[in-house]
Amino acid sequence: MKYKACLFDLDGVLVDTAIYHFQAWKTLGRQFDFELSHEQNEELKGISRVESLEKILQWANYQATHEQKDRWLKEKNENYLALISNMNSNEILPGVISFLQQLKEQGFLIALGSASKNAQIILEKTGLITWFHAIIDGNKVSKSKPDPEVFQKGAEALGCSSEECIVFEDAQAGIDAAKAGGMKVIGIGSPLVLSGADKIISSFTEIQVSDFLTL
């Protein structure tokens, strides 16, 4: 078989946590009179917490000290953790469990490749953790997407080459990271905002394993 492994981003791909990030950043931005828009929030998808804060400060035209940045990064994470504390399996996106079941039945290896430092907590709260053979998150990488490090480490943890992996991503930075790592990638979302993917679907209800075997 050509492909042996599937690597998944977390937020917006497996679970719907994007709204919690948006709310936490929105709350933070109000401290310096900045109102984060939905359009701007799209640009924060797939990148690290530090980079997200830098973008927000740039949009707000606000010069922050290192101390302020450190404090705000902690505050944002605390707000986010409070928001996700009641997460459960209801947050899993449509079609995900059925698709993971198909992968398991057909012998695919499954890994997570996420910038989130809270990935482990989210996987545990939603019950998704049992599906994964490897978890590479923001605690295990030093470079953010679009650098391919997170996916390369995922492939390495599964003992697979890049050519044997398919990546599932909802963010442009993630699609770019997968391509930079020499992997095929399926985009989850709209072709109007995602480019460069080998295939684009709106959700996992639209795909069977057989649909990507010929990519």
Side-chain angles (χ1 to χ4, degrees), residues 8 12-14 92-99 102 168-170 186-191 194 199-208 211:
F8 294 86
V13 174
L14 299 173
I92 300 170
L93 288 165
V96 166
I97 295 294
S98 170
F99 188 70
Q102 283 183 58
F168 294 85
E169 260 288 354
D170 74 319
I186 294 176
I188 319 289
S190 166
L194 298 177
K199 183 180 179 71
I200 292 182
I201 57 173
S202 62
S203 80
F204 282 102
T205 58
E206 287 182 13
I207 190 170
Q208 304 288 317
D211 295 337

Side-chain angles (χ1 to χ4, degrees), residues 8-129:
F8 294 86
D9 178 43
L10 180 62
D11 298 340
V13 174
L14 299 173
V15 293
D16 194 7
T17 53
I19 185 65
Y20 302 129
H21 282 295
F22 183 44
Q23 288 169 358
W25 282 125
K26 219 171 161 60
T27 300
L28 183 71
R30 287 175 184 146
Q31 293 193 37
F32 40 92
D33 299 320
F34 177 72
E35 195 69 22
L36 182 69
S37 71
H38 283 282
E39 291 73 24
Q40 288 165 329
N41 188 56
E42 284 295 311
E43 292 188 42
L44 304 182
K45 286 185 176 178
I47 66 173
S48 72
R49 201 183 307 159
V50 173
E51 286 174 295
S52 294
L53 178 59
E54 291 295 346
K55 269 186 176 284
I56 289 169
L57 291 170
Q58 197 176 350
W59 290 326
N61 199 22
Y62 190 94
Q63 296 293 320
T65 65
H66 288 299
E67 290 76 17
Q68 283 176 310
K69 288 178 185 178
D70 287 344
R71 188 176 77 247
W72 286 338
L73 286 169
K74 284 176 189 161
E75 269 184 41
K76 187 270 173 181
N77 195 46
E78 283 164 7
N79 287 341
Y80 176 70
L81 288 173
L83 289 166
I84 66 168
S85 63
N86 296 318
M87 278 186 82
N88 55 46
S89 59
N90 292 330
E91 316 278 337
I92 300 170
L93 288 165
V96 166
I97 295 294
S98 170
F99 188 70
L100 290 172
Q101 186 68 47
Q102 283 183 58
L103 292 176
K104 185 178 179 183
E105 287 168 1
Q106 296 190 37
F108 280 86
L109 295 169
I110 302 171
L112 188 82
S114 169
S116 172
K117 291 191 173 182
N118 300 306
Q120 188 94 12
I121 299 168
I122 294 167
L123 291 177
E124 285 168 3
K125 284 189 171 292
T126 55
L128 282 170
I129 200 157

